[in-house]
Amino acid sequence: MSPVFAHGRLRLYLLKLLDEAPRHGYEVIRLLEERFQGLYAPSAGTVYPRLAKLEAEGLVTHTTEGGRKVYAITDAGRAELADRSGELADLELEIRESVAELAAEIRADVRGAAGDLRREVRAAASEARRDSGAEEMRRIRQEWKEQARRAKDESRRAREEAQRARRQAKEAQEHARAQAQEEVQRIAKRVQEQVQDHFTRGDWPTGVREGLTELAKEFGEFGKGFGFPRPSGTTPPTAPEPQPEYEPTYTDTPPDFPAGYEPSWAHEESTGNPARDLDRLLDRFRDDIRDTARDHGVTDPQLQDIRRHLSAAAAHVGAALRTPKV
């Protein structure tokens, strides 16, 4: 920067900055940095001694604000600035040219450094390719082989897992089907024994009513998913305990009958019209089965077993209706 501020030029430019407005030393340094677009910033050791000398010559004066000296130009300073106006104009032009020259030099330095860096990188890359090209290709081929082997092993394990899952599902389905068949046979035998006892005594309305009640109770329990094992590691969902619809105080209810599942219509009194009472029993029976299926769902295997069970019940009810009236 010596070609710009040589031989009293900085002194003259300080007078110009203070003529614009009173300023403290730090502000003067910041303005000089802005005028040079950040390419030059004088130090405090350069600015403050010159401000002190200008004050000693009576060209500037200072006041103290907030612990800082704020410098302002005097009339004598303005007079010197006016006398050297031509020199000041030349100085402004030189500053602009100096800034442009510094910027050009910096750009050239940056381009040169970048070019050197690119050349060094290319040279290093070329050298690395020559030294390790074959080794890198061997490493890449080995990685490809290892990845292909792992993919093959994963595919084989996936096929084995799928086959094992299919076997387990088939075994579970067969087990569930066998349990369901056994349960249907048990239900049919239980209903047949209970209804047959009433038939032998000639009390066929009670036999029909209790047969339908037993069917509703058994199918209600069956519809909750009997015979389908729960996957290992899981716990059955909790559900509120079923509430009975009445107090089981009837003396003709079998002792092993779960009252919580016995429908409320099991012991309704006859109205004196057996045909109408039978229609009502069938309607209530249908409603109970429909509600249970809606609440718990029904699967195809369950539907097949239920169809056989209903066929057996229909046969028993039909036999009871065809029994000669006593």
Side-chain angles (χ1 to χ4, degrees), residues 83-260:
D83 292 340
R84 299 176 64 183
S85 59
E87 184 179 355
L88 181 60
D90 293 339
L91 177 60
E92 292 277 7
L93 179 60
E94 290 174 3
I95 288 175
R96 288 193 294 271
E97 293 176 351
S98 179
V99 169
E101 182 179 350
L102 283 173
E105 290 177 0
I106 291 173
R107 284 195 296 271
D109 291 343
V110 171
R111 284 196 297 270
D116 293 341
L117 180 60
R118 285 195 296 270
R119 285 191 293 273
E120 290 176 3
V121 170
R122 285 197 295 269
S126 178
E127 185 69 20
R129 285 194 296 272
R130 285 195 299 270
D131 293 342
S132 60
E135 182 63 27
E136 180 67 14
M137 288 302 298
R138 284 193 296 271
R139 184 186 65 79
I140 291 174
R141 284 196 296 268
Q142 185 62 30
E143 288 183 357
W144 286 347
K145 290 180 181 179
E146 183 65 21
Q147 291 176 359
R149 184 188 62 79
R150 287 197 297 267
K152 185 177 180 180
D153 291 343
E154 290 293 335
S155 177
R156 177 179 54 80
R157 283 194 293 270
R159 288 195 301 271
E160 292 175 354
E161 289 292 336
Q163 292 173 358
R164 183 161 50 252
R166 286 195 293 270
R167 286 196 301 270
Q168 292 175 351
K170 184 177 180 181
E171 292 172 358
Q173 185 178 12
E174 292 175 352
H175 178 71
R177 184 180 295 109
Q179 282 189 328
Q181 291 174 352
E182 292 176 0
E183 182 65 11
V184 169
Q185 292 173 1
R186 185 191 66 80
I187 292 172
K189 183 177 180 181
R190 178 186 177 89
V191 173
Q192 182 179 6
E193 292 174 351
Q194 182 172 344
V195 174
Q196 189 66 34
D197 181 62
H198 290 283
F199 286 172
T200 56
R201 297 198 304 265
D203 187 9
W204 68 265
T206 302
V208 171
R209 182 170 60 250
E210 293 195 358
L212 294 175
T213 300
E214 182 70 11
L215 285 176
K217 182 267 295 184
E218 292 290 351
F219 282 128
E221 181 66 18
F222 191 83
K224 296 180 180 179
F226 174 84
F228 292 91
R230 187 173 299 278
S232 60
T234 62
T235 57
T238 59
E241 292 294 332
Q243 298 298 324
E245 298 181 9
Y246 69 100
E247 292 295 330
T249 58
Y250 303 103
T251 57
D252 56 347
T253 299
D256 59 344
F257 194 93

Side-chain angles (χ1 to χ4, degrees), residues 18-69:
L18 295 177
D19 184 49
E20 294 175 357
R23 310 179 192 278
H24 53 74
Y26 174 76
E27 187 177 4
V28 170
I29 294 173
R30 183 177 57 79
L31 284 173
L32 284 170
E33 185 178 2
E34 290 179 359
R35 298 295 168 87
F36 280 87
Q37 300 180 10
L39 300 176
Y40 167 72
S43 64
T46 300
V47 172
Y48 282 103
R50 282 172 172 76
L51 290 174
K53 186 176 181 181
L54 289 172
E55 185 176 14
E57 294 175 358
L59 301 178
V60 300
T61 184
H62 82 272
T63 58
T64 302
E65 295 179 3
R68 289 183 175 183
K69 291 182 178 180

